[in-house]
Amino acid sequence: MTASKLLVIPILTCVLLLVDLYVWQAVKVVFQNNSPQTRTMIKSLFWGLTIITITGLWAYNVINPDILGSRLRTIMVAALFVIYGSKLFSIIFILMDDLFRLFHWSRESVLPSEKVVSGNSKVISRSEFLMKTAVIAASIPATALTWGILSGAHDYRIRHIRLVLKNLPKAFEGMTIAQISDIHSGSFFSKTAVKGGVEMLLKEKPDMVFFTGDLVNDRASKVKDFIQIFDKIKAPMGLFSTLGNHDYGVYLRFPSLQARQRNLHDIKQAHKILGYNLLLDENRMISLGGEKLAILGVENISAKESIFHNNGSLSKALKGTDDAAVKLLLSHDPTHWDKEVNSKFKDIDMMFSGHTHGLQLGLTIGDKSCSPAQWAYEQWAGLYQKGEQQLYVNRGFGYMGYPGRVGMPPEITMFTLSRVSS
């Protein structure tokens, strides 16, 4: 366990126990009129589930991942999200009850009144009503999060974008580019579903494919089981990729610096095996009809420097691209756009990113989405434009942490290049 986890996990455990204690007050009210045997059974189930879940949290972070296995680790994470996601939602109603109680107590303290006893013993009190509502309400996120695992995690969607580039040479008119991002191969629990997503991409027959980073969660070995699925991706004008923040292995404690470097080397080799031109602060020039288009890729660059490492150099990647009519940049983190792309490098026409996953949670209707991700990122999903420059943030192919998606399906983006809008 890393030093940061030694601090975070105990604190998180205390927070979860406080949540349980608070929710238990509502559960007790709901079952207060049941038999002693029923109340004992409910108590045992409630706290037994708490013990199992928190034990799973510690096991996930302490025991070697190879011992637990990826499937068991996925179940542990899923249980944590579903159980505590439900409890947190129910707290809204419990808190409402406590606020009503506080208001009533304050009023009675200042203006005491006579108590009125109702003759109807079947009338449910507001407090009991809110407590029962809290318990029932917990089923809503439980259902949604469970469905997000069983169905949403691999519910791949293709988004078609007409990408208008003012300086696009005529020879590149109509060229198609497929973008995928954030594969996170260590999280998948269904090879069949992943294969289906790749087949969806192949049916689009793109001229070119961009992959904008995070091939793994941290360990290069996790991509081995999926090599024979992802190596089926081909495109006549080439496959191009870059690294994401997770690819550097900074979230896993390696036995030595050499082991971390070896892991990064293996990830780079995996890109090569999959047929990608991995662009690490470099570029490739594509020529058609005497005109040139530059594809640039940088190592991870982020405006959130206190959280994510900065490894790349856009200046270095731009060297030798002066003759290109259009410059397309692959950069994993969308905050790189505001950090320097649209302020210092006006010759970058388009930037392709991922990273946010749309938080794997939100609401998507047509081309419009909303998500808690927008509280953390100004550009978090879809197409953005400032002046003549554009950015697209892909919602991700895989998932991280919560092994599912709710209202934010995994995305394959198909761009059709054009000089004029339709």
Side-chain angles (χ1 to χ4, degrees), residues 10-48:
I11 293 175
L12 180 57
T13 300
C14 291
V15 171
L16 296 181
L17 286 173
L18 287 173
V19 169
D20 281 316
L21 284 168
Y22 196 51
V23 173
W24 174 242
Q25 306 311 309
V27 176
K28 283 198 301 182
V29 170
V30 171
F31 294 97
Q32 62 186 348
N33 296 323
N34 289 83
S35 67
Q37 294 83 356
T38 299
R39 294 201 302 271
T40 299
M41 182 186 69
I42 295 298
K43 184 177 182 179
S44 299
L45 286 172
F46 184 92
W47 290 108

Side-chain angles (χ1 to χ4, degrees), residues 126-256:
R126 177 170 58 196
S127 178
E128 188 178 351
F129 169 76
L130 286 172
M131 289 302 183
K132 289 185 175 180
T133 302
V135 174
I136 294 171
S139 65
I140 298 174
T143 302
L145 291 170
T146 301
W147 182 253
I149 296 168
L150 299 177
S151 178
H154 301 107
D155 184 18
Y156 301 104
R157 306 291 178 86
I158 295 179
R159 290 180 175 272
H160 292 271
I161 305 292
R162 187 178 184 85
L163 186 58
V164 179
L165 300 169
K166 180 182 177 181
N167 299 318
L168 185 72
K170 187 176 181 180
F172 293 94
E173 178 75 31
M175 186 179 81
T176 57
I177 300 173
Q179 183 197 2
I180 56 174
S181 191
D182 299 86
I183 287 175
H184 289 286
S185 54
S187 297
F188 292 131
F189 57 84
S190 173
K191 283 187 179 181
T192 302
V194 174
K195 183 180 178 181
V198 170
E199 289 172 350
M200 287 176 66
L201 186 157
L202 293 175
K203 286 180 181 178
E204 296 293 318
K205 298 181 179 179
D207 296 314
M208 197 179 296
V209 176
F210 291 168
F211 170 54
T212 44
D214 277 359
L215 180 62
V216 297
N217 294 338
D218 39 52
R219 303 189 333 148
S221 60
K222 294 301 180 180
V223 77
K224 290 181 180 178
D225 290 340
F226 295 90
I227 289 290
Q228 292 184 341
I229 295 176
F230 287 108
D231 69 359
K232 301 297 187 294
I233 298 176
K234 308 292 181 183
M237 297 182 70
L239 281 62
F240 303 89
S241 65
T242 191
L243 298 178
N245 55 300
H246 281 270
D247 294 319
Y248 295 92
V250 294
Y251 308 111
L252 181 68
R253 187 173 184 177
F254 287 88
S256 66

Side-chain angles (χ1 to χ4, degrees), residues 336-371:
H336 180 206
W337 199 50
D338 280 338
K339 178 180 173 67
E340 64 174 4
V341 174
N342 62 42
S343 58
K344 301 176 184 177
F345 297 92
K346 296 292 185 180
D347 53 342
I348 301 294
D349 298 276
M350 177 71 187
M351 175 172 147
F352 300 84
S353 294
H355 182 61
T356 71
H357 301 202
L359 206 66
Q360 297 167 214
L361 177 66
L363 178 64
T364 301
I365 301 176
D367 294 330
K368 303 295 182 182
S369 294
C370 61
S371 164

Side-chain angles (χ1 to χ4, degrees), residues 317-335:
L318 276 164
K319 290 182 178 179
T321 63
D322 292 342
D323 294 339
V326 168
K327 299 175 185 178
L328 308 179
L329 170 65
L330 280 63
S331 181
H332 177 72
D333 191 320
T335 64

